[in-house]
Amino acid sequence: MMRCQFVMVLHCTIIIGQEMMLKILLVEDNLSFRGSLKSALLNRIADLEIKEAADDKSTMVIVEAYLPDLIIMDINLNCAISGLDLTKLITTMYSEIAVVILSHHDIPEYRSVAMENGAHSFFSKSSPLENIIDYVDSVALSECGLH
């Protein structure tokens, strides 16, 4: 498993009258991969609320309205800007939002640029989906006390 993890500080959203929920935004233009990741996350972690976006414009609309705790971002989006640039924009505007980068290309340069742009972690899409699920599960447990 190749992954780079950086320091992550999350806030967890408290829903009045309910338990704490981790709010996640999946930013992925591949509908099949996005659906698989969403299903796997919801099957494994009960206290999640997940929104989805496929491009930069819908991502920013959702971020502004939803204020997710965690964004799982594809590095190569089929839109005007890359996932790396979008990560930099989001983490500059919303420092409390953690971003995890996903890439088909597991190379040190991408990891380095991801960190420089504010990402908290980096996963290769070629690694088992379970690795991403384990990461989100550990964040939910340690930061939010979920489960």
Side-chain angles (χ1 to χ4, degrees):
M1 170 183 80
M2 294 288 294
R3 131 184 131 158
C4 184
Q5 183 175 349
F6 312 112
V7 176
M8 177 181 284
V9 177
L10 287 179
H11 69 285
C12 290
T13 304
I14 299 175
I15 311 279
I16 308 250
Q18 297 178 10
E19 297 194 19
M20 296 171 71
M21 297 195 67
L22 186 66
K23 292 175 22 176
I24 295 178
L25 173 58
L26 300 179
V27 183
E28 169 64 61
D29 55 358
N30 180 314
L31 183 61
S32 176
F33 185 83
R34 190 173 73 226
S36 295
L37 180 56
K38 180 178 181 179
S39 266
L41 284 166
L42 291 171
N43 285 335
R44 168 90 172 267
I45 307 167
D47 298 316
L48 293 181
E49 183 180 347
I50 299 177
K51 301 278 187 193
E52 302 174 54
D55 60 42
D56 55 333
K57 291 181 174 110
S58 61
T59 296
M60 292 309 297
V61 167
I62 293 169
V63 166
E64 291 168 7
Y66 180 63
L67 290 174
D69 301 305
L70 176 65
I71 297 174
I72 300 175
M73 174 90 64
D74 184 16
I75 200 169
N76 290 318
L77 297 170
N78 190 15
C79 59
I81 65 174
S82 74
L84 291 172
D85 292 334
L86 194 52
T87 295
K88 185 173 187 173
L89 177 65
I90 291 168
T91 58
T92 299
M93 293 174 63
Y94 303 94
S95 60
E96 70 279 9
I97 298 176
V99 179
V100 172
I101 293 288
L102 299 176
S103 176
H104 280 295
H105 308 287
D106 191 9
I107 57 176
E109 291 82 7
Y110 279 9
R111 290 174 180 276
S112 178
V113 173
M115 187 172 84
E116 290 169 7
N117 285 2
H120 292 83
S121 193
F122 182 103
F123 286 91
S124 170
K125 288 184 177 178
S126 63
S127 64
L129 195 58
E130 192 66 24
N131 294 344
I132 300 166
I133 309 304
D134 287 345
Y135 178 79
V136 174
D137 193 34
S138 71
V139 168
L141 284 170
S142 67
E143 300 295 332
C144 305
L146 298 178
H147 290 300

